[in-house]
Structure formats: structure tokens, C-alpha cells
Amino acid sequence: MATDITMPKLSDTMTEGRLIAWKKSVGDKVERGEIIAEVETDKATMELEAFASGVLAEQRVKPGEMAAVGAVIGVIGEAGEAPSPAVEKPTPPPETAREPSAEPAAAEPTAGELPERVMERPGGEPVPPVSAGPPEETKAAPVVRRLAREKGVDLRQVPGSGPEGRILLEDLERYLAKREEGEAAAPAAPLRGGEEPLSRMRSAIAKVTAESWRTIPHFYETVEIDMKEGGEIVRELKGSGHAVTFNDLVIKGSALALAAFPRLNASFAGDRIALHEEINIGFAVAMEEGLQVPVVKGCQGLALKEIARHTVRLAERARSGAITQEEISGGTFSVSNLGMYGIEEFAAVILPPQAAILAVGAVADRPAVCGGELVVARTMRVTLSCDHRVVDGAYGARFLEELKRVLENPVLMLV
Amino acid sequence: MRVEEAGIVDYHAAYAIQERLAAGVAAGGAPETLLLLEHPPVYTIGRGGSGTNILDSAIGAVATNRGGDVTYHGPGQLVGYPIIDLGRRGRDLHRYLRFLEEVLIRVAASFGVEAWRVPGRTGIWTEGGKLASIGVGVRRWVTMHGFALNVANDLAPFSRINPCGMAGCPVTSLEILCERAVSLEETKRLVAGEFCDLLDQLLIKEASRVH
């Protein structure tokens, strides 16, 4: 009778473990109590004992691979029984451990797989603002989507009457009919001529960006950053009750890089360059009527968790209109993140009197070459806009190199 | 529970002592032991790592069966190898790792040094960087290996490895954080005290061994 070898539960908080090594090869004789493999969780390894005697018939998980607690990682067959060929098959969904001596493995099927996907999806971050309609998935059949595309309709504007708000063909037709009649009053529907007075916010944005464009000679540099570890940190911190977003990592990383490259934490002042002692990082918050850039003050002395607390509070205040002039002034550097809209990369306009702004794109799986092999990497592209009166290309490049180093080794942001 | 101080002991010799003690505990009868010692300079590579994180050929490297990646040991660093029977203390490796961290955090605190955990990065961390590494191995639910607390050791050898597999991971010591000389003897006393105080509180002992 064959006996399954399952990934043991080495801790109440363990959901998956890594197989480090097999101590027996397929076909080897195994005695009950003998060490057959080593598994690891966190920084602890455990020598795995055989719970039955026989012959190692299968190794289903390769050294270095993760397996969920309770998943079958190998099989011990009866001595004399012909070992089934060691086929490389993927670990099936874990079965509950049946061995009496094994830990009662509370099988958590997809644990360890699911959170990663959910959490690292750029749109999944609890990112600031966005009242102008987050890129939420709408439910609709392909035929509805096609018609919507042809007619230039944003499906998010169409009320769905199907189950769970699914947009039916008739919903779209009704919407189109209304639009024909000029009744479609959806906020994002194309404006059809006429005038719109500038809101105070629009007017402020117009003034600042025009001044920036007129007076600051911009240049741009883009770098691609591996966010695999960053994603793990975000996930781990969330697991321990501290919500930190990719944007918070970028702010903290920028603060560290600015400390090393102070001329990007500066202002052009006619006959001199003013270097700022404080690192005050503004982050752009999109709002229905425009945007605001609340400032996290004194970033040089703030831990990642503190930055996260500030960004949540400031974004909330910006959204609710409660933000004060004091909270949006005094910035010495800014970050603008359009990752949640799926933007790959873009360049931002510097906010005077600052010397630079960092434009952050989406964290996504992208092809990369590693050791001559094509692999999938989880990356993010950031573009630095610099004031050429203050710094030159090489200085910006060295800043980005430092930022990349910090973000790719996020533990540097935790100490 | 007893504490055994062993001075400066070669890595392989210390491993042999651990194996002997662990076998005694697993067989029943032998007391749980906390071994406190120092090693001559050596790099050790845990099961999670490979030699590629060592950039220095002047100091020998040993592959060993603890968890974690590469680290450095040398005189002035306090190494603790607890041989503890988790078979009768809840059989929970994560809880055991958190217990070791708690001991070290309290020791640091008694020097006025604030230290903390970083989720997913076992060890203890301070504003100056990593203060202590942890890597554990378990055989029949009896622990081996343990922790390495930087007290007064030369930190330069860390700069020639990627500690814990992370490039540029900052490492610090009690002496640097306290800005004064710290004696290894004083640290040993504190570690032994906290360890014994916390062991039965955080890892409750059952009357008899499970399994």
C-alpha cells in the first residue's frame, strides 16, 4: 500500500513550506523513522522522517520548490512494489494528510498563491483618491464590449441590470438611445461644446504647470526596477496589520536616495541653488476636479510605517476637501503615481520651486533576460524629470541607481 | 534547562556537541541546554543559500543544515545554540523563532537599544541595521543551531558577503549602538537570564512528549 508523504505543518502560522533536499532517491529503501527529506519554513529547517517503511516511489516536488501544508510531496510504496516512474507532475491541490503520525494538516488549498496575485496587482493597492471612476472591471459579454467599443462608450458609465450589475446588450442599447437624444448625462461623457468656467483648482493647476513649463528646462530619465521583494514586503506588512502601498515604498526609497543625492532636494534660485535640509515629499492625489499634492514632511526621519500613516491620512483629507494650505505646501520633491491606471511609464511636470519629480508606472509582470534566459520579472518603471539648471544627466542617473538599489533591497527601508 | 558556556569553539566541534546534546534530548532523559559560545572566523551557509553570496575567499565557508542563507561568525559575537525539545513545547517553529527574537529584543533593551522584528525577515533589527541573525534546524522536534548576536565583533567580514542573501544589508553591533565597550560576559549573563525566564512563558512545556 502506498503512503503519501505530505508537507508537514511546522507551525500554526505556516501555510506553505519549501522542500530543501531529498535525502533518498526514487527506488531507495526507506525505514520508518529515517530522514527522507528536509523542508524549510521561514529560517527554520526540519528533517522529515518517513512514517512508513518501503521504497521511495515518487518525488513530486523538486528541491527549492514550495508546497502547501498537507500537499503530497512524495510517495512511499511497498518494498518489492515496482516504483512508478518519477514523473514530473505538478503538485495537485493538497489532500488532507491521512498519516496518523502526521500533523493534522489543515489544508489551505491555495494559500500562498492567492494573496500574491491579489496583492501585487497594481490596481489592488489601496491607492489614494480617484473619484473619477477607478479602473474597475465591468461585467459584460464580449458582444456588448464590442458594440461599446464601436460606439465609443465607456462601459463603466452604463448601468447594468443583469446579475451583479452585469451590463446586458439591452442596457447598452438603452444607453445609446439616450445618448442619441442627448440625455446621457454621465459625468465622463464627452462635453459637447459650450464653456466651462475654471474651477479654483483647475486655475491653480494651469498657473503652476504653465509656469513650470515656461521656466524649467526639463529632461527625463527612466529606469526599470525589480519589485519582487518590494511586493513581498507589502504583502508581509499587510499580513502583520500594517498596510503599506507600493507608493509608500517609492516615497521612502526616494527619501533615502535624496539623502544621498541632495541636489535633487533643492531649488533653483537665480544666482544660486538652495539645498533643503528637510526632505518633504509631495504625492499627487487625483480628484474628480483635478489633483492635489499633499506633502509628507520630514521624510528623512520617518519610518516606512509612519510614511504610510501620513499618506493614508493626507489622501483622505485631500479627498474630503479638508486638507489645509499648510498640508499641501513646503514640498521639496514629488512623486506622481499612475500605476493604478495601468500606465507603463510617463513623464511628469516639475512643481516649482522643486528640482525634480518622479513619475511612477504600474508594477507588472514583464519579460526580462536573466543569465541569458528569458524570464518573467515583476517590475516597475519610474521616470525622473529634472530641472537642468540644477542637475545634469549623470547626477539624475546616479540618484536613480540608488533609488533602484533601495527599492530592490527593501529591507534597507525597514531599518 | 541548563546553560553551558563553552568559550571559543571551532564550528565543526560545536556542531558535534549540538548533535550529541540533541540526540540525548530526543531520546529522553537529557536536559534541554542553551550552549553559549564564540566561533573563530567562519562563514556558514544555511539551507536557504548558496556560496554565491560569499565574496571573500580569505575566511573558510561551511555548509550547514540550519535555515537561512549565509552569515558570518567570529570572536566578539555571542552565538547561542539552544537544544530545546519542541516536541513537548507546542511543535511550532514560527513560535520558536519569535521566542528567540523576543529574548534578543529584551537583551538589546537592557542595553538601552531599541530592536524590533521585521515580518518575513527573521532576526532582530535596529536603526543601525541587523543586530542578530537567527537560523534554526530541527530533528525529531529537537532544535539545533540558533542565533548570533553581534556584541563587539569586527563587522568588516559581513561586508564581503550578502548577509541573509541581501546585497547591501546593513549589519551592526551592540558596541556600535551603545557607543561604549560591551563585555561578552555581561551579554551572556543577560541572554541566559532572558532565555530561561521566557522559555516556559512563551513555549509552554507539556507534561510528556507528543509523538
Side-chain angles (χ1 to χ4, degrees):
Chain A
M1 194 199 74
T3 304
D4 289 341
I5 305 164
T6 55
M7 174 60 70
K9 193 176 180 70
L10 303 179
S11 167
D12 283 346
T13 51
M14 171 178 174
T15 55
E16 56 177 2
R18 186 184 303 278
L19 182 90
I20 298 296
W22 283 104
K23 296 289 177 190
K24 295 281 177 184
S25 307
V26 170
D28 282 0
K29 247 188 109 204
V30 174
E31 292 292 330
R32 186 187 155 90
E34 247 188 308
I35 306 297
I36 45 176
E38 275 181 336
V39 295
E40 183 186 48
T41 174
D42 207 338
K43 291 239 177 128
T45 59
M46 168 87 166
E47 291 178 345
L48 190 60
E49 290 169 52
F51 294 121
S53 299
V55 166
L56 185 61
E58 272 187 63
Q59 296 177 347
R60 291 203 189 164
V61 175
K62 282 187 272 188
E65 284 180 353
M66 303 293 291
V69 168
V72 177
I73 58 175
V75 176
I76 294 175
E78 260 180 79
E81 200 178 288
S84 59
V87 261
E88 300 287 6
K89 48 182 158 183
T91 315
E95 297 159 29
T96 342
R98 277 174 283 120
E99 270 307 299
S101 38
E103 289 286 336
E108 294 183 51
T110 40
E113 237 180 86
L114 261 185
E116 183 153 32
R117 286 202 202 115
V118 176
M119 305 242 355
E120 292 190 7
R121 213 186 60 223
E125 288 181 60
V127 235
V130 195
S131 34
E136 241 175 62
E137 272 304 309
T138 48
K139 287 190 165 43
V143 59
V144 178
R145 292 187 187 282
R146 191 166 61 240
L147 180 62
R149 249 193 329 273
E150 284 166 14
K151 298 283 183 185
V153 172
D154 179 354
L155 275 180
R156 286 173 298 185
Q157 307 301 337
V158 181
S161 65
E164 293 177 71
R166 194 176 178 85
I167 299 161
L168 309 176
L169 190 56
E170 59 196 47
D171 295 328
L172 180 58
E173 283 168 347
R174 197 177 309 124
Y175 180 88
L176 286 168
K178 269 192 180 176
R179 192 170 77 170
E180 302 274 278
E181 294 163 28
E183 286 176 22
L191 290 167
R192 340 177 84 205
E195 283 180 354
E196 195 188 23
L198 283 185
S199 65
R200 276 179 62 193
M201 189 181 290
R202 198 71 256 150
S203 155
I205 294 168
K207 188 163 161 285
V208 168
T209 52
E211 185 206 330
S212 170
W213 206 243
R214 194 172 55 246
T215 59
I216 301 181
H218 286 62
F219 72 91
Y220 312 98
E221 293 176 345
T222 300
V223 74
E224 186 160 346
I225 297 174
D226 191 317
M227 292 303 283
K228 182 170 167 286
E229 286 224 17
E232 284 169 10
I233 289 276
V234 168
R235 190 171 72 243
E236 282 157 5
L237 287 176
K238 182 161 192 180
S240 66
H242 303 287
V244 164
T245 64
F246 281 111
N247 205 46
D248 296 326
L249 292 185
V250 172
I251 291 175
K252 175 69 186 175
S254 299
L256 290 173
L258 286 170
F261 293 92
R263 279 159 68 202
L264 284 165
N265 194 57
S267 298
F268 182 76
D271 58 346
R272 67 206 154 82
I273 289 163
L275 300 173
H276 305 300
E277 209 166 293
E278 293 279 295
I279 298 177
N280 301 334
I281 301 184
F283 62 104
V285 174
M287 303 168 71
E288 200 165 345
E289 64 274 32
L291 88 167
Q292 269 182 338
V293 189
V295 176
V296 182
K297 304 263 168 68
C299 285
Q300 73 279 4
L302 294 181
L304 181 59
K305 279 184 267 186
E306 294 169 314
I307 287 179
R309 268 201 297 280
H310 283 298
T311 56
V312 166
R313 182 181 56 86
L314 289 167
E316 184 55 44
R317 287 174 64 79
R319 250 198 311 274
S320 66
I323 203 148
T324 63
Q325 188 62 34
E326 203 273 326
E327 287 168 318
I328 56 170
S329 40
T332 59
F333 182 87
S334 293
V335 170
S336 178
N337 190 339
L338 290 178
M340 53 291 210
Y341 295 96
I343 294 298
E344 295 272 315
E345 59 177 86
F346 70 107
V349 175
I350 294 170
L351 296 177
Q354 300 170 21
I357 185 168
L358 191 74
V360 182
V363 176
D365 288 332
R366 295 188 175 91
V369 177
C370 178
E373 297 268 323
L374 189 59
V375 296
V376 176
R378 196 141 187 84
T379 64
M380 170 181 89
R381 294 193 189 123
V382 300
T383 300
L384 183 70
S385 308
C386 301
D387 183 341
H388 217 324
R389 300 170 304 176
V390 179
V391 295
D392 304 320
Y395 195 86
R398 285 164 55 211
F399 167 85
L400 285 175
E401 183 185 27
E402 174 65 7
L403 178 67
K404 180 179 161 81
R405 185 181 78 89
V406 169
L407 286 173
E408 289 185 351
N409 297 284
V411 71
L412 297 171
M413 294 184 275
L414 297 168
V415 296
Chain B
M1 172 72 220
R2 67 195 185 99
V3 178
E4 190 176 313
E5 294 189 17
I8 296 188
V9 183
D10 169 71
Y11 191 81
H12 293 285
Y15 184 74
I17 299 174
Q18 290 190 67
E19 279 205 307
R20 181 170 52 74
L21 292 170
V25 170
E32 294 174 314
T33 302
L34 170 62
L35 258 180
L36 290 176
L37 47 82
E38 294 165 77
H39 284 310
V42 63
Y43 289 120
T44 64
I45 308 162
R47 284 293 192 238
S50 69
T52 55
N53 281 318
I54 300 184
L55 318 166
D56 180 350
S57 52
I59 297 176
V62 180
T64 182
N65 62 340
R66 62 164 168 78
D69 202 302
V70 59
T71 193
Y72 165 78
H73 300 297
Q77 180 193 61
L78 178 59
V79 171
Y81 292 141
I83 311 298
I84 299 296
D85 187 0
L86 293 183
R88 55 194 293 187
R89 290 186 185 272
R91 303 164 66 117
D92 190 321
L93 281 182
H94 289 177
R95 206 188 310 156
Y96 177 64
L97 294 169
R98 302 294 87 81
F99 155 73
L100 293 180
E101 287 167 346
E102 188 60 33
V103 169
L104 295 166
I105 286 170
R106 295 200 186 186
V107 169
S110 44
F111 284 100
V113 169
E114 196 194 348
W116 54 82
R117 298 176 178 87
V118 172
R121 299 282 182 276
T122 298
I124 70 164
W125 301 80
T126 68
E127 59 178 15
K130 193 172 187 179
L131 179 61
S133 316
I134 293 177
V136 168
V138 180
R139 177 182 294 167
R140 299 194 166 92
W141 284 109
V142 176
T143 64
M144 291 176 65
H145 303 291
F147 57 85
L149 173 64
N150 298 321
V151 180
N153 46 310
D154 177 15
L155 300 178
F158 283 108
S159 66
R160 295 189 287 274
I161 57 173
N162 293 331
C164 320
M166 289 176 290
C169 174
V171 176
T172 189
S173 70
L174 278 176
E175 278 207 341
I176 289 177
L177 293 165
C178 295
E179 295 176 326
R180 68 170 172 90
V182 174
S183 95
L184 210 70
E185 291 311 310
E186 182 189 3
T187 315
K188 269 187 199 169
R189 239 189 349 268
L190 287 164
V191 166
E194 293 292 353
F195 191 97
C196 297
D197 284 355
L198 287 171
L199 180 65
D200 287 330
Q201 278 178 46
L202 298 182
L203 300 169
I204 296 163
K205 194 167 179 175
E206 294 154 20
S208 62
R209 197 159 200 267
V210 184
H211 167 59

